[in-house]
mmCIF file of all heavy atoms in Angstrom:
data_model
loop_
_atom_site.group_PDB
_atom_site.id
_atom_site.type_symbol
_atom_site.label_atom_id
_atom_site.label_comp_id
_atom_site.label_asym_id
_atom_site.label_seq_id
_atom_site.Cartn_x
_atom_site.Cartn_y
_atom_site.Cartn_z
ATOM 1 N N GLU A 1553 -8.947 -14.458 19.167
ATOM 2 C CA GLU A 1553 -7.845 -13.485 19.135
ATOM 3 C C GLU A 1553 -6.583 -14.112 19.681
ATOM 4 O O GLU A 1553 -5.501 -13.956 19.142
ATOM 5 C CB GLU A 1553 -8.259 -12.250 19.948
ATOM 6 C CG GLU A 1553 -7.261 -11.145 19.964
ATOM 7 C CD GLU A 1553 -7.750 -9.969 20.791
ATOM 8 O OE1 GLU A 1553 -8.502 -9.157 20.276
ATOM 9 O OE2 GLU A 1553 -7.362 -9.889 21.946
ATOM 10 N N GLU A 1554 -6.791 -14.881 20.773
ATOM 11 C CA GLU A 1554 -5.687 -15.560 21.429
ATOM 12 C C GLU A 1554 -4.937 -16.465 20.469
ATOM 13 O O GLU A 1554 -3.708 -16.478 20.419
ATOM 14 C CB GLU A 1554 -6.278 -16.352 22.591
ATOM 15 C CG GLU A 1554 -5.288 -16.760 23.653
ATOM 16 C CD GLU A 1554 -5.976 -17.645 24.694
ATOM 17 O OE1 GLU A 1554 -7.203 -17.902 24.564
ATOM 18 O OE2 GLU A 1554 -5.277 -18.056 25.607
ATOM 19 N N LYS A 1555 -5.711 -17.210 19.694
ATOM 20 C CA LYS A 1555 -5.093 -18.169 18.727
ATOM 21 C C LYS A 1555 -4.319 -17.423 17.646
ATOM 22 O O LYS A 1555 -3.247 -17.832 17.267
ATOM 23 C CB LYS A 1555 -6.193 -19.038 18.151
ATOM 24 C CG LYS A 1555 -5.694 -20.319 17.596
ATOM 25 C CD LYS A 1555 -6.759 -21.312 17.271
ATOM 26 C CE LYS A 1555 -6.196 -22.414 16.366
ATOM 27 N NZ LYS A 1555 -7.172 -22.971 15.477
ATOM 28 N N LEU A 1556 -4.921 -16.325 17.186
ATOM 29 C CA LEU A 1556 -4.231 -15.549 16.144
ATOM 30 C C LEU A 1556 -2.943 -14.946 16.685
ATOM 31 O O LEU A 1556 -1.890 -14.988 16.035
ATOM 32 C CB LEU A 1556 -5.197 -14.462 15.617
ATOM 33 C CG LEU A 1556 -4.636 -13.480 14.596
ATOM 34 C CD1 LEU A 1556 -4.113 -14.192 13.334
ATOM 35 C CD2 LEU A 1556 -5.689 -12.462 14.191
ATOM 36 N N LEU A 1557 -3.007 -14.417 17.896
ATOM 37 C CA LEU A 1557 -1.808 -13.820 18.499
ATOM 38 C C LEU A 1557 -0.720 -14.872 18.723
ATOM 39 O O LEU A 1557 0.462 -14.576 18.540
ATOM 40 C CB LEU A 1557 -2.177 -13.150 19.844
ATOM 41 C CG LEU A 1557 -3.069 -11.897 19.726
ATOM 42 C CD1 LEU A 1557 -3.497 -11.378 21.068
ATOM 43 C CD2 LEU A 1557 -2.366 -10.781 18.945
ATOM 44 N N ALA A 1558 -1.146 -16.110 19.063
ATOM 45 C CA ALA A 1558 -0.188 -17.204 19.259
ATOM 46 C C ALA A 1558 0.485 -17.555 17.919
ATOM 47 O O ALA A 1558 1.738 -17.783 17.905
ATOM 48 C CB ALA A 1558 -0.879 -18.423 19.841
ATOM 49 N N LEU A 1559 -0.257 -17.523 16.853
ATOM 50 C CA LEU A 1559 0.334 -17.806 15.530
ATOM 51 C C LEU A 1559 1.329 -16.709 15.174
ATOM 52 O O LEU A 1559 2.433 -17.032 14.654
ATOM 53 C CB LEU A 1559 -0.797 -17.906 14.478
ATOM 54 C CG LEU A 1559 -0.312 -17.995 13.030
ATOM 55 C CD1 LEU A 1559 0.547 -19.258 12.774
ATOM 56 C CD2 LEU A 1559 -1.527 -18.010 12.048
ATOM 57 N N ILE A 1560 0.994 -15.457 15.427
ATOM 58 C CA ILE A 1560 1.898 -14.340 15.109
ATOM 59 C C ILE A 1560 3.210 -14.502 15.930
ATOM 60 O O ILE A 1560 4.302 -14.336 15.359
ATOM 61 C CB ILE A 1560 1.191 -12.989 15.383
ATOM 62 C CG1 ILE A 1560 0.072 -12.766 14.350
ATOM 63 C CG2 ILE A 1560 2.203 -11.837 15.312
ATOM 64 C CD1 ILE A 1560 -0.805 -11.568 14.647
ATOM 65 N N ASP A 1561 3.046 -14.851 17.194
ATOM 66 C CA ASP A 1561 4.230 -15.080 18.059
ATOM 67 C C ASP A 1561 5.142 -16.162 17.467
ATOM 68 O O ASP A 1561 6.360 -15.946 17.396
ATOM 69 C CB ASP A 1561 3.801 -15.573 19.455
ATOM 70 C CG ASP A 1561 3.728 -14.444 20.417
ATOM 71 O OD1 ASP A 1561 4.154 -13.335 20.057
ATOM 72 O OD2 ASP A 1561 3.180 -14.642 21.520
ATOM 73 N N GLU A 1562 4.516 -17.205 17.010
ATOM 74 C CA GLU A 1562 5.277 -18.316 16.420
ATOM 75 C C GLU A 1562 6.040 -17.843 15.177
ATOM 76 O O GLU A 1562 7.231 -18.152 15.010
ATOM 77 C CB GLU A 1562 4.288 -19.444 16.104
ATOM 78 C CG GLU A 1562 4.831 -20.683 15.493
ATOM 79 C CD GLU A 1562 3.706 -21.564 14.936
ATOM 80 O OE1 GLU A 1562 2.648 -21.702 15.565
ATOM 81 O OE2 GLU A 1562 3.890 -22.053 13.798
ATOM 82 N N LEU A 1563 5.346 -17.072 14.349
ATOM 83 C CA LEU A 1563 5.962 -16.580 13.102
ATOM 84 C C LEU A 1563 7.026 -15.545 13.395
ATOM 85 O O LEU A 1563 8.060 -15.432 12.709
ATOM 86 C CB LEU A 1563 4.927 -16.017 12.165
ATOM 87 C CG LEU A 1563 3.893 -17.036 11.621
ATOM 88 C CD1 LEU A 1563 2.711 -16.353 10.964
ATOM 89 C CD2 LEU A 1563 4.566 -18.016 10.651
ATOM 90 N N ASN A 1564 6.809 -14.758 14.444
ATOM 91 C CA ASN A 1564 7.824 -13.772 14.895
ATOM 92 C C ASN A 1564 9.151 -14.498 15.199
ATOM 93 O O ASN A 1564 10.238 -13.950 14.915
ATOM 94 C CB ASN A 1564 7.386 -13.025 16.133
ATOM 95 C CG ASN A 1564 6.402 -11.902 15.842
ATOM 96 O OD1 ASN A 1564 6.326 -11.396 14.719
ATOM 97 N ND2 ASN A 1564 5.639 -11.502 16.843
ATOM 98 N N GLU A 1565 9.024 -15.651 15.791
ATOM 99 C CA GLU A 1565 10.230 -16.411 16.254
ATOM 100 C C GLU A 1565 10.939 -17.141 15.107
ATOM 101 O O GLU A 1565 12.111 -17.438 15.236
ATOM 102 C CB GLU A 1565 9.830 -17.442 17.316
ATOM 103 C CG GLU A 1565 9.325 -16.857 18.633
ATOM 104 C CD GLU A 1565 10.343 -15.928 19.287
ATOM 105 O OE1 GLU A 1565 11.524 -16.258 19.292
ATOM 106 O OE2 GLU A 1565 9.915 -14.841 19.741
ATOM 107 N N ARG A 1566 10.205 -17.403 14.046
ATOM 108 C CA ARG A 1566 10.805 -18.255 13.000
ATOM 109 C C ARG A 1566 11.816 -17.456 12.162
ATOM 110 O O ARG A 1566 11.444 -16.472 11.514
ATOM 111 C CB ARG A 1566 9.698 -18.803 12.074
ATOM 112 C CG ARG A 1566 9.054 -20.061 12.645
ATOM 113 C CD ARG A 1566 7.963 -20.544 11.801
ATOM 114 N NE ARG A 1566 8.376 -20.910 10.418
ATOM 115 C CZ ARG A 1566 7.597 -21.599 9.586
ATOM 116 N NH1 ARG A 1566 6.406 -22.003 9.991
ATOM 117 N NH2 ARG A 1566 8.023 -21.878 8.377
ATOM 118 N N GLU A 1567 13.035 -17.986 12.089
ATOM 119 C CA GLU A 1567 14.081 -17.265 11.355
ATOM 120 C C GLU A 1567 13.851 -17.296 9.842
ATOM 121 O O GLU A 1567 14.374 -16.442 9.111
ATOM 122 C CB GLU A 1567 15.468 -17.835 11.713
ATOM 123 C CG GLU A 1567 15.939 -17.336 13.049
ATOM 124 C CD GLU A 1567 17.379 -17.659 13.328
ATOM 125 O OE1 GLU A 1567 18.079 -18.104 12.410
ATOM 126 O OE2 GLU A 1567 17.751 -17.460 14.477
#
Side-chain angles (χ1 to χ4, degrees):
E1553 183 179 278
E1554 198 184 0
K1555 200 166 165 211
L1556 177 58
L1557 293 173
L1559 172 61
I1560 292 170
D1561 264 350
E1562 181 193 318
L1563 295 167
N1564 279 339
E1565 293 303 318
R1566 276 178 61 167
E1567 281 191 12

